[in-house]
Amino acid sequence: MKHLLIGTSIAAIFLAACHTARTQGEPTVVVVPPDEMSRDPAAAAPTAKVVPAAPSPTTAASPAAAPVKHSYNSCNVDGPYIAMTFDDGPHETNTPRLLDMLKQRGLKATFYVVGQCVVEYPDIMKRIAAEGHEIGNHSWSHPALNSVGAESLRKQMDSTTAAIVKSTGIRPATMRPPYGATSARLNKLFDEQYGMKVILWSVDPLDWKNRNSATVSSRIIQGAHPGAIILAHDIHATTVAAMPEVFDTLLAKGYKFVTVSELLAMDRPPQLVKKETPPAKPAPAAQ
Ligand code: ZN
């Protein structure tokens, strides 16, 4: 994989402390029409790409003229697939601890990283990528992107992508707007001009607010559903401490953990998805 150096100067302009407060609620703002997704244009930079697709059962024929889908709260899938997402890192200690938990269980997750933390912890970024997780753009300094100017928005996106590419050699294929603050116009822009689908969520344990591991794990476990995109924050020790319970319980219920791009690759029009998808079979003993 190549290590690209584009954008380091842009990144430098933004250099700021990583640990700023950026964990207020992330209210969902957008309603997403249930359409077929389109292929990612991912034009701009040369790079290695996030590998989509994997344990997908079938690839459905797409109905004619389905409008392009720019953003997702969840996916329609034929199986107990879910995507765990972790925002706002990487964090010096909590992210490596979480990576250990994922590795022990052979699970894949997606990390929506903040650019100013990426440049602070390049080695953690390398580890995230090396262990097969997906990395997405979560802006440089975590502003509400629907309230910044065009130039600022461009810098927030480009400097973060450049930092991710520099540390991992991989260009992000998806992004998550801080606080879920976006719009139909921005979703189209992120998809078409940045080559990134906009990823929101369908399960939110409010872990930024409730720093209680038992509460966080029970909310995620109760909210989980096939095709779920689950929001969490690996900057909080309480959230990371909740993960063994979350992972082991959901594995025991038969859920399979995939990256966001893998989940998107399985997305189908709702009418083509079988009804009886709740996971049934118990998984082999989780560790
Ligand atoms: Zn965030």
Side-chain angles (χ1 to χ4, degrees), residues 18-24 26 85-98 111-114 117 121 138 142 207-208 211 232-241:
C18 180
H19 304 290
T20 46
R22 53 172 182 277
T23 40
Q24 298 86 18
E26 306 225 16
T85 63
F86 296 97
D87 290 12
D88 297 359
H91 182 278
E92 185 175 16
T93 54
N94 295 329
T95 305
R97 192 174 299 137
L98 172 62
F111 291 80
Y112 286 101
V113 294
V114 172
C117 299
Y121 303 113
H138 195 44
H142 211 271
D207 61 324
W208 53 272
R211 307 292 177 85
H233 298 82
D234 56 326
I235 53 171
H236 301 312
T238 42
T239 297
V240 172

Side-chain angles (χ1 to χ4, degrees), residues 8 15-16 26 72 78 115 117 148 155 172 203-204 216 233 246 249 265 280:
T8 31
L15 253 193
E26 306 225 16
Y72 295 80
D78 265 333
C117 299
V148 302
K155 287 180 179 169
V203 178
D204 180 0
V216 170
H233 298 82
V246 167
T249 304

